Every structure is written in C-alpha cells, then in structure tokens.
C-alpha cells in the first residue's frame, strides 16, 4: 500500500457545494461532523454526523455538502495484492449502511475510535517527521480496512423472498451496486435465489424494464459522468462501466444521448 493523497477539511460554506471526481486509486472518506450526500457509482448515500465510506478506483464520486459546516478527512492510496481490501459486494453493502449506524453501540465503537485517531493524525501532519508520517497513516488505513470488511461481511441481510416488489427492489440494489462487474442473468438469479425467467417477469412487472435494460441505463449514466468529469479515454470509460465491447458501448451511448461518446464530451464541455 502506498499513500497518494490525503487531507482534512473543516468547511463552513453554503449547502450544495461539491467536492470529488474520479481517480485510479482507492480512497477512504470519513465524515466527522455535519450532513452530506455522497454520489458514488450512480447511487446517493446520506451521511449525517458520522460516516466512513470506502471508494474503489475509477469510480466517480461527488461529496455534496448539506449543512453549513462539514468536517471530514480523506486518504487516497495505491493498493497491492497483499493488502486487506474488502470485496466489491462487501464495500457496496458497507457504504449502504452509512447514515443508519449507531456508533455508540457494539460492534462499532472500536471502528469509531480508529477513524477518529486517523483524523487526528492527519491534522497533526506538520508536527510529525515527513518520512514517517505516510507509514503511520497507512497503518491506520490498514486497520480501518480490516475492521470495515469484517463488520460489513457480518451485516449481510437475507435475500428478499416475501413478494415480487421486494424481489425487484433486491435486484435493483444489486444491479446498482455491481454494475461495473460482469453480470449475467444467472448471476442475478443466484443472488436473489429465484428462477431466471420468473425473476425477469417480476422485475419487468414492478419496474417496467428488463434487468438488463435497467443495467444498461446505469452503465450509460455512469459513462456520461466519467466523460464529463474525467479525462479518461473512451475505451477506459467503456471498461470502467462494465461494457466488454467499445463498439457496443458507442452504439448504445449514441442511441441514448444522440452523439458518439467523444462528440458528446466535446459538446458538453463547450
């Protein structure tokens, strides 16, 4: 693991101010005080008071301030093969918990103490030796990743089985969380524990769309965000959003937005 960028923000400003973007690094984002929304990978997560988000590389993210004051820290880092990184489904499940955690109740106080300590360390950078500071921060980040992965894995809800509407909601959340990954109908059926053809009928009944029609919309929306806010190539955008063929991506994008990806980017950026 190698530290790339970090910071501590104590902001007094107008609600609606934004910070973020996209980068090829892992990131931990910790809200310490105030209210905010995190827009990440096509989903909006609410954070009030305290929250800890894990962000994967190449995923667009925007932190939207919702209170007049907001305190948070962030740390971006390169990860190696041996680093304790949670799996993608665990990360999405963990981020979805933010905004609803009682940090005074077990098993969360240990994690709360750990990210409070990380924030204190980041604020004290100027008083520490420059050559040992990254090592100390990375030790804290490693601890946070281990604790986060453990707590998220233990919080997995049982698959919804009670009604077609709940099944559709479960499938929607899965697609919204996992859209950059290769997904087949069997993947979705295995996750929900329903017959594939029955799943498609119920999903369309309750959403008006097929699962893969909805998945394609998610991927195209994420692609538009990448094209607008980053300098990633069209090929990288295509792959980051789950398209296995750049030609299929370009055709799908033009059908939805009226222009090819590169043309749309130029038009939107003026």
């Amino acid at each position: 693991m190698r530290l790339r960028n970090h910071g501590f923000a104590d902001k007094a400003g107008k609600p609606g101010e934004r910070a973020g973007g996209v980068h090829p690094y892992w990131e931990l984002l910790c809200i310490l005080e105030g209210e905010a929304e995190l827009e990440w990978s096509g989903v909006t997560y609410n954070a009030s008071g305290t929250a800890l988000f894990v962000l994967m590389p190449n995923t667009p993210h925007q932190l939207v301030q919702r209170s007049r004051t907001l305190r948070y820290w962030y740390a971006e880092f390169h990860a190696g093969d041996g680093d304790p990184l949670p799996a993608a489904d665990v990360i999405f499940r963990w981020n979805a918990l933010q905004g609803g955690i009682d940090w005074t109740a077990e098993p969360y106080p240990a994690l709360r103490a750990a990210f409070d300590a990380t924030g204190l360390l980041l604020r004290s950078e100027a008083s520490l030796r420059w050559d040992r500071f990254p090592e100390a921060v990375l030790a804290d980040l490693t601890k946070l990743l281990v604790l986060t992965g453990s707590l998220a894995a233990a919080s997995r809800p049982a698959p919804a089985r009670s009604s077609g509407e709940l099944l559709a909601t479960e499938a929607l959340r899965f697609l919204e969380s996992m859209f950059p990954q290769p997904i087949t109908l069997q993947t979705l059926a295995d996750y929900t524990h329903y017959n594939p053809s029955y799943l498609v009928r119920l999903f369309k009944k309750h959403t008006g769309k097929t699962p893969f029609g909805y998945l394609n919309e998610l991927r195209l929306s994420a692609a538009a965000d990448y094209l607008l806010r980053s300098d990633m190539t069209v090929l990288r955008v295509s792959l980051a959003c789950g398209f296995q063929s750049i030609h299929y991506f370009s055709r799908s994008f033009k059908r939805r937005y009226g222009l090819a990806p590169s043309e749309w980017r130029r038009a939107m950026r003026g």
Side-chain angles (χ1 to χ4, degrees), residues 6-12 17 19 29-34 63 65 69-75 119 122-123:
H6 62 278
F8 189 100
D10 195 345
K11 300 177 63 176
E17 291 187 355
L29 170 65
C30 183
I31 312 297
L32 297 172
E33 183 181 339
L63 183 65
Q65 186 167 336
T69 60
L70 183 65
R71 295 174 65 244
Y72 64 91
W73 63 258
Y74 67 91
L122 292 172
R123 295 192 71 175

Side-chain angles (χ1 to χ4, degrees), residues 102-130:
D102 179 358
W103 293 97
T104 65
E106 291 295 340
Y108 297 110
L111 180 59
R112 172 69 183 267
F115 61 66
D116 281 345
T118 305
L120 181 60
L121 177 63
L122 292 172
R123 295 192 71 175
S124 305
E125 178 179 7
S127 62
L128 301 174
R129 282 181 48 178
W130 67 269

Side-chain angles (χ1 to χ4, degrees), residues 60-116:
H61 53 279
Q62 291 281 315
L63 183 65
V64 185
Q65 186 167 336
R66 292 304 182 200
S67 58
R68 291 197 173 275
T69 60
L70 183 65
R71 295 174 65 244
Y72 64 91
W73 63 258
Y74 67 91
E76 302 168 8
F77 57 94
H78 298 269
D81 292 338
D83 292 325
L85 302 172
D89 61 325
V90 172
I91 291 171
F92 282 105
R93 190 157 58 247
W94 172 257
N95 286 347
L97 292 174
Q98 304 312 298
I101 292 177
D102 179 358
W103 293 97
T104 65
E106 291 295 340
Y108 297 110
L111 180 59
R112 172 69 183 267
F115 61 66
D116 281 345

